[in-house]
Amino acid sequence: MTEKTSVFDVAKWFLDKEDISPKRLQKLVYYVQAWSYALFDKPFMYEENEPAPFEAWRHGPVNPTLYRKYSDYGWQKIHSENENVKKFTNMDLDLLESVWETYGEYSPNEIENLTHRELPWKNARKKARVIDGESSNESLDPQDMKTYYKEIYIGD
């Protein structure tokens, strides 16, 4: 049986591209999960054999496990750990590269603002009944991710 991909595997892949702030890294990892739901109808990352969750925090979608690992960096960039990166399939690499090409140029604040305009985060915040600036640990609904990103998909 193949080992399931974790949020850390994906984070390491992005960190091998360049040094990235925790906020920006969270959003890039989120987009991999969201687009996997939309394009492949399944999660890309897992935690303890369950789909890796993302919560509707004040600064956008956040995976709490990934947050805990890099929280000490604050607003500073995380440097590549030069660890062994998981071997991804060609299909996985296509998705990772597509997310990087689409979202990799955004600053932390730009990518945060982008997620704030998208329905999966907005719906989770609405469900939690919180307003801008308030904390929430409401999980983003995978079905919302699948539906929303499938609707905006324009192909290659």
Side-chain angles (χ1 to χ4, degrees):
M1 182 174 166
T2 306
E3 184 178 324
K4 294 187 182 212
T5 302
S6 74
V7 292
F8 304 119
D9 296 327
V10 174
K12 288 176 198 169
W13 187 89
F14 283 117
L15 289 169
D16 277 350
K17 293 282 192 188
E18 67 182 48
D19 296 345
I20 301 173
S21 72
K23 180 163 69 168
R24 185 169 164 235
L25 182 63
Q26 281 284 351
K27 306 316 171 254
L28 291 168
V29 173
Y30 161 73
Y31 279 123
V32 171
Q33 188 79 321
W35 281 106
S36 183
Y37 281 122
L39 299 174
F40 309 125
D41 198 25
K42 65 180 184 177
F44 193 90
M45 298 162 280
Y46 292 84
E47 290 181 9
E48 300 177 10
N49 290 320
E50 295 293 323
F54 286 83
E55 297 178 354
W57 288 21
R58 113 181 22 152
H59 293 290
V62 170
N63 174 274
T65 305
L66 187 62
Y67 174 82
R68 284 189 291 277
K69 177 167 181 153
Y70 294 114
S71 63
D72 289 346
Y73 283 86
W75 299 102
Q76 302 301 311
K77 290 184 177 181
I78 304 162
H79 305 291
S80 176
E81 299 164 347
N82 294 318
E83 294 179 18
N84 291 333
V85 175
K86 178 183 173 71
K87 302 293 185 211
F88 291 103
T89 67
N90 286 338
M91 190 169 83
D92 291 346
L93 288 170
D94 285 346
L95 178 58
L96 290 165
E97 287 289 351
S98 292
V99 167
W100 180 250
E101 288 175 22
T102 304
Y103 303 101
E105 67 185 41
Y106 290 108
S107 73
N109 289 338
E110 289 170 333
I111 201 167
E112 172 186 337
N113 289 336
L114 185 60
T115 62
H116 282 201
R117 292 192 301 265
E118 297 173 340
L119 287 179
W121 183 82
K122 288 167 72 171
N123 287 348
R125 303 279 297 173
K126 184 177 180 179
K127 184 176 179 185
R129 296 185 174 142
V130 293
I131 59 172
D132 286 348
E134 288 184 338
S135 296
S136 167
N137 63 350
E138 186 70 41
S139 290
L140 278 75
D141 185 337
Q143 186 61 45
D144 281 352
M145 287 185 245
K146 176 183 173 181
T147 302
Y148 177 77
Y149 294 101
K150 205 173 229 184
E151 286 175 359
I152 67 168
Y153 180 65
I154 55 173
D156 293 334

